[in-house]
Amino acid sequence: AQCMMLFDALGDSQRDVRCYTIALNACGGGGSLVSPEQGWHILSELSRPEKMAIWTHPEMQSAIIRFYAKIRETQKAIQLFESMDDAILDKDESGAIFCAIMDCYAKMGEIEKLLALFEHVKCKHPTKLSSVMYSIVLNGCAHSGLVDEALRIFDDIAAKTCDVHSQCIVAMMDCLGRKQQLTQAENLYNSYKHKLNLKERV
């Protein structure tokens, strides 16, 4: 892929966190453009002592977790997250790390771990909360049939901000729809349709 050609063309000293993150995000399984082997090669390069500052950067750590999740090395993703110290998790950019591991838990069906980590973030790292994180948790609840838990979380979002993100609204509607609570889903849509940018269908 052209992404990796550009990455390879850069000299070692020119490769910064952003370069490594973009390259690793392109690697993996499914619809990824580059094979997992290229991802492993990038991780091997990042393991060198002189690359430690890049390896430990929150943006890079979240990309590594996502890469492990894509290639179904979920235990490696969890081990990496559990090995992180507060020096990394307290950084401003660490919200991406929490989102990455929560998404991993959601895809594994580990809803209890997902919700426990979400509550931990709310208590210990409240500034890391984001619409992306909320939508991951709501989607996890939807796939696990936890409507009451999802409603509690959604009400918490609505109480904290009048600007509820469309991702969260759609996730909550999906959760209600999966449990055949169609009237509630329709009421939610009518309350927030001005934020969804959806054209009315005749």
Side-chain angles (χ1 to χ4, degrees), residues 36 81 139-140 144:
F81 174 72
N139 279 316
S144 300

Side-chain angles (χ1 to χ4, degrees), residues 28-30 36 40 65-77 104 107-108:
W40 287 115
I65 290 173
R66 288 195 299 272
F67 170 70
Y68 284 147
K70 276 195 293 184
I71 62 172
R72 300 183 181 180
E73 291 280 0
T74 52
Q75 287 306 310
K76 288 185 180 294
C104 182
K107 289 175 179 174
M108 292 170 65

Side-chain angles (χ1 to χ4, degrees), residues 18-154:
R18 195 64 180 148
C19 288
Y20 279 107
T21 300
I22 292 171
L24 191 59
N25 283 340
C27 303
S32 299
L33 300 174
V34 184
S35 70
E37 286 72 21
Q38 287 277 13
W40 287 115
H41 176 74
I42 291 172
L43 294 186
S44 176
E45 186 173 316
L46 287 171
S47 68
R48 303 204 308 258
E50 65 270 22
K51 298 288 185 179
M52 185 57 62
I54 294 176
W55 172 272
T56 56
H57 191 282
E59 188 176 348
M60 193 73 251
Q61 294 278 283
S62 65
I64 296 169
I65 290 173
R66 288 195 299 272
F67 170 70
Y68 284 147
K70 276 195 293 184
I71 62 172
R72 300 183 181 180
E73 291 280 0
T74 52
Q75 287 306 310
K76 288 185 180 294
I78 294 169
Q79 288 168 7
L80 175 60
F81 174 72
E82 292 179 346
S83 71
M84 295 179 192
D85 57 27
D86 290 341
I88 294 175
L89 296 178
D90 285 340
K91 290 183 178 179
D92 291 341
E93 308 95 327
S94 68
I97 295 175
F98 288 114
C99 286
I101 194 63
M102 285 182 183
D103 193 43
C104 182
Y105 284 144
K107 289 175 179 174
M108 292 170 65
E110 295 280 5
I111 189 64
E112 291 184 2
K113 290 182 178 180
L114 170 60
L115 292 174
L117 180 56
F118 175 65
E119 291 300 324
H120 171 78
V121 173
K122 282 178 62 179
C123 293
K124 301 294 184 181
H125 305 276
T127 60
K128 314 303 181 189
L129 294 170
S130 66
S131 59
V132 173
M133 188 179 296
Y134 276 119
S135 66
I136 290 170
V137 178
L138 289 172
N139 279 316
C141 290
H143 287 278
S144 300
L146 301 179
V147 175
D148 290 341
E149 184 68 22
L151 284 169
R152 183 186 67 79
I153 293 168
F154 188 84

